[in-house]
Amino acid sequence: MDEQKKYYALLSEKYPTMRSLSREIINLTAILNLPKGTEHFMSDIHGEYEAFCHILNNCSGVVREKVDMLLGGTLSAEERGELCTLIYYPKEKLRLLRKSGEPDRAWYEQTINNMLEVARFLSSKYTRSKVRKAMPEDYAYILDELLHAQRDEDDNQVRYHKQILDTITELGAEDFVISLAELIKRLAVDRLHIVGDIFDRGDSAEKIIDLLMRRHSLDIEWGNHDILWMGAASGSEACIANVVRNCVKYRNLRTLESGYGVSLRALTLFARQTYGGEPMDAALKAIAVIQFKLEGQAILRHPEYGMDDRLLLGKINGSTVESEGVTYQLNDSFFPTVNPDGPYELTEGEREVIDGLRDSFLNSAVLRSHITFLYEKGGMYRCCNGNLLYHGCVPLRDDGSFDEVEHFGKKYSGKAYFDMADSRARRAFFSRHKNQDELDFMWYLWCGRRSPLCGRNIKTFERTFISDKSAWHEEQNPYYRLYHERATCENILAEFGLNSPYAHIVNGHTPVRTVRGELPIRADGKLLVIDGGFCRDYHDTTGIAGYTLIFNSHGLRLKAHQPFESVEAALRANRDIRSHSEIVETERYRVMVDDTDAGERIRGQIADLFRLLQMYKSGELEPK
């Protein structure tokens, strides 16, 4: 009781009078009766900055939908396309218009009125206070006035607002148009969920993180490629070697060298001296061998990983290698740094290379800032408004029960496994004194067959040194077969505390091959796989260029995006990303804030405020 009284005494400092309490109760009760904000879910961006940036700018096609709906009767298709491009890229579009002699005062007035109509519609599901906070500070008062213009008996307000617009256009309206465009985009999406894999093949992952760091409301569910970079930034040598190898293989050096200041000079010099040939091919081979050695060391340190079949450097016999009991011909048998008596020991030259790379990763201020952001905004999973979000899989046995996995001397399964992995990943990065077991675990999360971020037997060695593709097959966890069954998904949801019949799993990681007839909606709508292949390398595999799952007050719908041409084409020809929308689930009743996680918190706040009001009235606490 003493602790409760202390709490309410502190609360009374914020609400010192019965009037202030009543005002806040009225305000919070009103918020509960607003429609829920729109959530967007995206995954597997893989460094594709331009396409991702455009989809953020067009709000996954929502801006165009609203413009067509509101202005379809007054503007032509070409004019609507011009307006949309202006909203997406206001600075760049205005610069182009100036070069062609536009825009004049009449253009500004009409354009601002059209944009205000869109903003006014999008703001209708928020409180006036929240909309005001979303506005750029310099124009907050003016925008607030214009968005809430009301006709009166003598049209005084109409004249008043027309005078405001006249003054804006007379003094120069560019900054105002830019601010209004940003407000529209912010109101269109209340919260963004990134369900893993910001990093990988595209060459601008660091630009994507810079973009996300400016978002007003988002969360990130870590993917296996994200955890790989997080492990590298923590100092895991096996993760560092994997990151560098991936970048060299896909010729994605800009992110490493320009983005994060990681020099590959020592690697390329060592590779040229050791292997010869084309520089990048030599560098790829050099870092691959270093990677397999470091991975071998981690596997030998941790027999509980159950990955002894990955110890292939020790199974090389001249020009052949044994993998899973089968002998394969190697496409390259030149391994001058591999000692048959100690195949996983680094040579002096290899040690110098990895030491230099480790120093670069640990001392990159930009990388540390970006990885810190991933930890602050991210986690292994998230439960949000009845949906369970995670990137990879919940490891299962063949019978659908949760697989029990041993790490750090204990056994884990289901939600407890995710919680432990989240905790250990944070310790690996933030601990001042690095723990080798935790660094090794970061590598395991990246590629372990029973890792919740991977869930398959990755065969990098075979894909690198064996031409026979029969050796490349990567066995997957039973999860990827069983997640088509409703009972399996409901069991997983219950494990994470989501027992509502309207709960869903939102999953990334495995590209949906629409060209083969695969569907993203599985298990009678209980699970949605939203990896549609943002990365250009996956477009032929998936047949599309990414998904956005949209959850608004009316229900769930999935938007499949077509490939993005270029920002240049968008600016000059108003080219947009074409998106096909599919309804996943329509709510019987409109979803209000009262039905969300935020609503639950608000109801708790209201209960506390009523209790404080009662204490004021009873004399337990004295109001000011």
Side-chain angles (χ1 to χ4, degrees), residues 77-210:
E78 183 179 347
E79 290 169 329
R80 297 196 303 274
E82 187 88 355
L83 179 62
C84 286
T85 305
L86 177 67
I87 294 170
Y88 306 159
Y89 304 101
K91 294 178 184 178
E92 297 83 351
K93 190 65 177 178
L94 286 169
R95 193 181 303 126
L96 274 180
L97 290 171
R98 283 199 307 273
K99 286 182 180 179
S100 64
E102 290 188 73
D104 58 19
R105 186 167 174 172
W107 181 90
Y108 270 119
E109 185 173 337
Q110 183 60 49
T111 298
I112 290 172
N113 273 315
N114 289 333
M115 294 175 74
L116 283 170
E117 188 168 348
V118 177
R120 194 174 292 119
F121 179 84
L122 291 170
S123 69
S124 63
K125 64 168 60 178
Y126 304 111
T127 64
R128 188 164 178 172
S129 172
K130 184 168 182 175
V131 174
R132 181 74 178 260
K133 289 174 184 175
M135 296 173 182
E137 189 175 342
D138 290 344
Y139 292 107
Y141 172 77
I142 296 171
L143 282 167
D144 191 42
E145 287 289 317
L146 293 174
L147 285 180
H148 299 94
Q150 298 290 331
R151 286 191 173 274
D152 56 63
E153 185 178 358
D154 300 316
D155 278 349
N156 291 320
Q157 282 217 342
V158 172
R159 288 193 292 272
Y160 166 59
H161 291 108
K162 187 176 187 311
Q163 185 58 55
I164 291 177
L165 284 177
D166 287 344
T167 306
I168 289 170
T169 53
E170 184 177 340
L171 295 177
E174 278 199 18
D175 283 346
F176 186 78
V177 168
I178 292 167
S179 296
L180 187 50
E182 296 308 316
L183 176 63
I184 288 170
K185 289 181 283 190
R186 179 161 178 174
L187 295 175
V189 182
D190 190 43
R191 188 170 186 86
L192 176 65
H193 307 277
I194 303 296
V195 192
D197 278 0
I198 295 168
F199 290 93
D200 190 21
R201 301 188 184 193
D203 66 355
S204 297
E206 84 287 356
K207 290 184 180 180
I208 291 173
I209 295 182
D210 282 335

Side-chain angles (χ1 to χ4, degrees), residues 24 107 121 206 220 239 250 255 270 353 356 373 385 445 513 516:
E24 185 64 8
W107 181 90
F121 179 84
E206 84 287 356
I220 299 165
C239 288
Y250 297 113
T255 298
F270 169 79
V353 168
F373 171 75
N385 294 331
L445 286 174
R513 294 168 172 82
R516 297 185 189 175

Side-chain angles (χ1 to χ4, degrees), residues 100 110-111 154 173 181 200 203 211 270 302 382 404 447 466 469 544-545 575 579 597:
S100 64
Q110 183 60 49
T111 298
D154 300 316
D200 190 21
D203 66 355
L211 194 65
F270 169 79
H302 297 278
R382 179 175 293 268
E404 199 170 53
C447 65
I466 299 175
K469 291 185 179 181
I544 56 173
R575 299 275 176 81
S579 302
D597 296 343

Side-chain angles (χ1 to χ4, degrees), residues 468-535:
D468 184 348
K469 291 185 179 181
S470 66
W472 295 9
H473 174 69
E474 297 177 339
E475 185 180 357
Q476 291 186 318
N477 188 272
Y479 169 86
Y480 295 106
R481 168 174 51 85
L482 296 171
Y483 73 176
H484 291 274
E485 299 176 7
R486 185 184 184 97
T488 297
C489 294
E490 288 177 340
N491 191 34
I492 292 171
L493 288 164
E495 169 72 5
F496 285 83
L498 298 175
N499 296 296
S500 165
Y502 306 107
H504 309 84
I505 296 170
V506 182
N507 208 167
H509 190 50
T510 52
V512 179
R513 294 168 172 82
T514 60
V515 291
R516 297 185 189 175
E518 290 184 1
L519 299 174
I521 305 169
R522 297 169 186 180
D524 298 330
K526 297 302 291 182
L527 182 140
L528 300 107
V529 180
I530 60 169
D531 179 3
F534 266 102
C535 181

